[in-house]
Amino acid sequence: MAEAGTWKVYLSGEIHSDWRQRIADGVSETGLPVELLAPVTDHEASDDVGASILGEERDQFWRDHKGAGVNAVRTQTLLRSADVVVVRFGDKYRQWNAAFEAGYAAALGKPIVTVHDGELTHALKEVDRAAMAVAETPEQVVEILRYATRT
């Protein structure tokens, strides 16, 4: 844990809704001993980081490859340091990166909480099986964290 009694919680997954902010608000309002960690959630910055730091590529495959590598420096470091990993799957886009991060967290032995609507239960059954809890709302995640961190 970061400091005595502080839990590091990594928030993985979709970036097109306010779910991270809702968890942050709940953690703040309830005074939980939780530090929230996250990937870069600016989609354009995340997509462009490899080319902007390491140089442009003519082929989109190699451009994406560079960006994924630079982003992995952050995500893998934060995943390794996390006490709990929360993975949100939205219904608008396929979040392959979130599924990868859930698998990576499972391989590291990290407790996982998934968050998604009930309609995605079948599609995410293997990911949910690796999770300790499956929530449908950010508020349920806050309650799980409240319970887990209580003294």
Side-chain angles (χ1 to χ4, degrees):
M1 290 187 237
E3 321 173 351
T6 300
W7 290 44
K8 289 184 175 185
V9 178
Y10 183 81
L11 304 178
S12 171
E14 68 102 357
I15 61 171
H16 303 286
S17 70
D18 67 347
W19 73 276
R20 282 185 181 84
Q21 188 59 54
R22 288 166 59 191
I23 290 174
D25 290 346
V27 164
S28 177
E29 289 167 9
T30 55
L32 297 179
V34 168
E35 176 187 355
L36 298 174
L37 311 170
V40 171
T41 58
D42 177 327
H43 197 152
E44 188 174 313
S46 175
D47 282 351
D48 294 343
V49 67
S52 57
I53 294 174
L54 302 174
E56 193 57 66
E57 289 288 338
R58 287 185 299 201
D59 186 317
Q60 186 65 39
F61 174 85
W62 292 112
R63 187 178 200 283
D64 288 345
H65 189 75
K66 279 183 178 179
V70 173
N71 280 309
V73 171
R74 178 186 179 95
T75 56
Q76 289 185 20
T77 300
L78 293 178
L79 279 165
R80 280 190 210 101
S81 74
D83 297 303
V84 176
V85 176
V86 177
V87 187
R88 163 76 180 153
F89 292 92
D91 59 354
K92 188 172 182 184
Y93 300 98
R94 306 232 191 280
Q95 289 92 41
W96 307 119
N97 60 319
F100 176 81
E101 289 176 9
Y104 192 81
L108 292 171
K110 303 292 181 173
I112 301 166
V113 176
T114 57
V115 186
H116 59 79
D117 295 334
E119 303 87 62
L120 297 177
T121 299
H122 178 73
L124 293 170
K125 64 185 175 293
E126 287 82 8
V127 176
D128 286 345
R129 181 65 180 100
M132 304 296 171
V134 179
E136 291 190 4
T137 68
E139 292 74 21
Q140 289 174 327
V141 173
V142 172
E143 290 306 310
I144 290 168
L145 294 173
R146 181 196 317 240
Y147 178 80
T149 60
R150 77 183 198 180
T151 55

